[in-house]
């Protein structure tokens, strides 16, 4: 089972979070990550963030990354969205 924890922070405080579970073993890890981010953004009523090179490197190294205003086309009302794989 693949589980990803998505957290929204404002003023260094957790204001919203969700855990997305994906049980499809046929999907690649990358597909699971993109699906989890998409599902969480739908739950939070957010636009999809743009993966910049820094996000990709951080995610590959630590299995987590933060999306800030630079990652979104629209204005956001929080400081950052953090995604973190908690189980693979």
């Amino acid at each position: 089972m693949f589980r990803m924890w998505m957290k929204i922070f404002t003023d260094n405080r957790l204001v919203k979070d969700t855990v997305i579970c994906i049980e499809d073993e046929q999907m690649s890890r990358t597909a699971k990550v993109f699906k989890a981010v998409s599902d969480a953004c739908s739950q939070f009523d957010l636009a999809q963030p743009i993966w910049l090179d820094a996000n990709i490197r951080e995610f590959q190294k630590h299995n987590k990354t933060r999306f800030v205003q630079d990652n979104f086309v629209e204005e956001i009302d929080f400081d950052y969205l953090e995604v973190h794989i908690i189980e693979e």
Side-chain angles (χ1 to χ4, degrees):
M1 178 190 300
F2 177 88
R3 294 188 318 150
M4 183 178 275
W5 189 14
M6 314 287 278
K7 303 172 272 190
I8 292 179
F9 286 87
T10 301
D11 297 327
N12 288 324
R13 294 179 192 262
L14 177 67
V15 292
K16 287 183 189 175
D17 71 327
T18 188
V19 175
I20 304 295
C21 299
I22 299 175
E23 297 184 16
D24 186 356
E25 297 296 325
Q26 303 301 318
M27 292 175 72
S28 68
R29 180 179 191 258
T30 303
K32 290 177 184 177
V33 168
F34 286 130
K35 179 164 176 29
V37 170
S38 176
D39 291 352
C41 287
S42 292
Q43 280 186 8
F44 293 148
D45 193 27
L46 289 175
Q48 294 268 348
I50 299 167
W51 287 78
L52 303 175
D53 290 339
N55 297 106
I56 294 168
R57 282 192 303 273
E58 183 181 18
F59 194 78
Q60 288 172 338
K61 188 173 183 179
H62 302 292
N63 283 335
K64 71 177 185 177
T65 192
R66 289 181 179 178
F67 296 109
V68 295
Q69 179 62 61
D70 291 344
N71 298 98
F72 293 92
V73 175
E74 300 172 351
E75 195 71 26
I76 57 173
D77 62 349
F78 53 88
D79 294 335
Y80 59 89
L81 167 68
E82 185 174 278
V83 299
H84 185 195
I85 294 178
I86 53 178
E87 183 180 350
E88 281 194 77

